Amino acid sequence: VVDPMGDTYSVRVPEGISPGSELKVKGKGYPNWVNGQPGERADLYLMVVPIIRSISNIPITELEELLEHRRKHV
């Protein structure tokens, strides 16, 4: 995820989350401006939008990388 300020973050999406659900990332939205100065940042809201690709179109090396990544993070 890239926030409004251009910073990049990893966000865990809970298993079984429904499409269209929102995730809140606390303190990663736009800054709240006070007296012309940026203050504390608001929360960033993300909407879950699944992208489904046919497994037959994915190169085998990409599938192997996905499996390896999953093994490391489960």
Side-chain angles (χ1 to χ4, degrees):
V1 174
V2 179
D3 73 11
M5 305 308 289
D7 298 323
T8 303
Y9 303 95
S10 292
V11 176
R12 282 195 183 267
V13 178
E15 188 173 329
I17 194 167
S18 299
S21 297
E22 286 187 348
L23 297 173
K24 179 170 85 171
V25 185
K26 192 161 178 62
K28 301 301 180 189
Y30 284 106
N32 293 313
W33 289 81
V34 179
N35 298 325
Q37 298 294 320
E40 191 173 309
R41 290 176 68 171
D43 297 335
L44 176 67
Y45 289 87
L46 309 173
M47 180 180 286
V48 176
V49 179
I51 298 173
I52 301 170
R53 298 190 313 182
S54 170
I55 197 164
S56 63
N57 295 335
I58 301 174
I60 191 69
T61 53
E62 187 175 337
L63 287 172
E64 290 169 346
E65 289 173 14
L66 289 169
L67 288 171
E68 184 60 30
H69 178 77
R70 178 146 174 86
R71 283 189 202 108
K72 289 180 181 177
H73 295 91
V74 172

